Amino acid sequence: MDFMVRPIGRVESPLSDLAQAPRQGDEGAPAAWLVFDERVREGLRDLRPGADVIVLTWLDRARRDVLAVHPRGDRARPVTGVFSTRSPDRPNPVGLHRVRVLAIDGTRVRVSDLEALDGTPIVDVKPVLDRDTER
Amino acid sequence: MDFMVRPIGRVESPLSDLAQAPRQGDEGAPAAWLVFDERVREGLRDLRPGADVIVLTWLDRARRDVLAVHPRGDRARPVTGVFSTRSPDRPNPVGLHRVRVLAIDGTRVRVSDLEALDGTPIVDVKPVLDRDTER
């Protein structure tokens, strides 16, 4: 059984193509706006600047028919099963982005360090929990 | 534009109802099996026991028409926008579960501490990165 993701908004970012995008784990992803649909406004009401959140995106330019990749697209690295990589190419291309909320303007939320292309659909936002980071 | 999630497997867990399930942040979620579809076998080939991974699930028993909830279902807590909670009830009910791989048997992967009901569809598996946990 399949399920339908209906995006709740879009990323507004200076990152406009994959070649420009920093690779996983590198420094320097830019700040960006999360622009939410008016229909989800109530869900945003307790977000505050300074909050650490996980943004889930749908990586709509990814390939879904790929099960093994060269990590970071680097052909010098051995081909690796996608579930051991953060490649956008995978059966269900959901992106996970840990960011900090910088500012809020209605349904527009400014966040730090978002490695996602301009226009990327937003799926969800969740607070970071201790259990995400401790083991 | 909507997107289709096609699950890549299912959770096999002793947790069979919501009342039994531990709440977010509590201790004591049980070990469980991730049972993957044969078609994604190649994607699993580099998973190893001891790996810390993030399992993404589709919380198929959640409500999608809810934008504010009492956190943990506790009516003593003030109603909170869902994007500031980890409630399963939200527009796109994707679950995030940080777990450790305990054992691998073909397309069956045993993991620790999985707070997901028996039968829950699996959407994705990703390795934990430093940037998920450091800020």
Side-chain angles (χ1 to χ4, degrees):
Chain A
M1 185 175 168
D2 294 345
F3 301 97
M4 194 71 83
V5 168
R6 172 169 294 181
I8 58 174
R10 295 265 170 180
V11 171
E12 270 185 20
S13 168
L15 291 179
S16 59
D17 65 55
L18 289 165
Q20 216 188 343
R23 298 295 183 175
Q24 293 275 348
D26 288 2
E27 301 297 326
W33 288 100
L34 308 178
V35 183
F36 291 93
D37 296 349
E38 183 58 37
R39 69 183 170 85
V40 301
R41 177 186 283 267
E42 189 188 2
L44 301 169
R45 67 185 213 182
D46 294 293
L47 280 187
R48 298 284 180 271
D52 289 320
V53 299
I54 301 169
V55 179
L56 286 75
T57 59
W58 189 267
L59 304 168
D60 57 343
R61 280 152 276 194
R63 288 182 57 184
R64 303 185 63 176
D65 60 346
V66 170
L67 290 170
V69 297
H70 293 284
R72 304 186 181 201
D74 178 352
R75 296 196 154 269
R77 290 173 178 240
V79 170
T80 305
V82 289
F83 303 127
S84 297
T85 80
R86 294 291 275 260
S87 170
D89 299 325
R90 52 206 313 118
N92 294 302
V94 177
L96 287 188
H97 316 269
R98 182 180 170 152
V99 300
R100 180 160 291 168
V101 175
L102 300 175
I104 300 176
D105 176 11
T107 53
R108 296 170 59 85
V109 177
R110 182 83 171 160
V111 299
S112 65
D113 301 308
L114 184 64
E115 188 181 322
L117 298 181
D118 186 56
T120 298
I122 303 168
V123 171
D124 198 9
V125 176
K126 300 180 190 292
V128 174
L129 298 184
D130 285 348
R131 59 176 201 147
D132 295 325
T133 60
E134 292 170 7
R135 176 66 56 191
Chain B
M1 184 174 168
D2 295 345
F3 301 96
M4 193 72 83
V5 169
R6 170 169 295 180
I8 58 173
R10 296 266 169 180
V11 170
E12 269 185 22
S13 168
L15 292 178
S16 59
D17 66 55
L18 288 166
Q20 212 188 346
R23 297 295 183 175
Q24 293 276 346
D26 288 1
E27 302 296 327
W33 287 101
L34 308 178
V35 182
F36 290 93
D37 295 349
E38 183 58 37
R39 69 183 169 87
V40 301
R41 177 188 284 267
E42 189 188 1
L44 302 168
R45 67 183 213 183
D46 294 292
L47 281 185
R48 298 283 180 272
D52 289 321
V53 299
I54 302 170
V55 179
L56 286 76
T57 60
W58 189 267
L59 304 168
D60 57 342
R61 280 152 278 195
R63 289 182 56 185
R64 303 185 63 175
D65 59 347
V66 170
L67 291 170
V69 297
H70 293 284
R72 303 184 181 205
D74 178 352
R75 295 193 154 270
R77 290 174 179 237
V79 170
T80 304
V82 290
F83 303 128
S84 298
T85 80
R86 294 289 278 256
S87 170
D89 298 326
R90 55 207 309 121
N92 293 302
V94 176
L96 287 188
H97 316 268
R98 182 180 168 149
V99 300
R100 181 160 291 169
V101 175
L102 300 175
I104 299 176
D105 176 12
T107 54
R108 297 171 58 86
V109 177
R110 182 82 171 161
V111 298
S112 64
D113 301 308
L114 184 64
E115 188 181 322
L117 299 180
D118 186 54
T120 298
I122 303 167
V123 171
D124 199 8
V125 176
K126 298 181 192 292
V128 175
L129 298 185
D130 285 348
R131 58 174 202 150
D132 294 326
T133 60
E134 292 171 8
R135 178 65 54 190

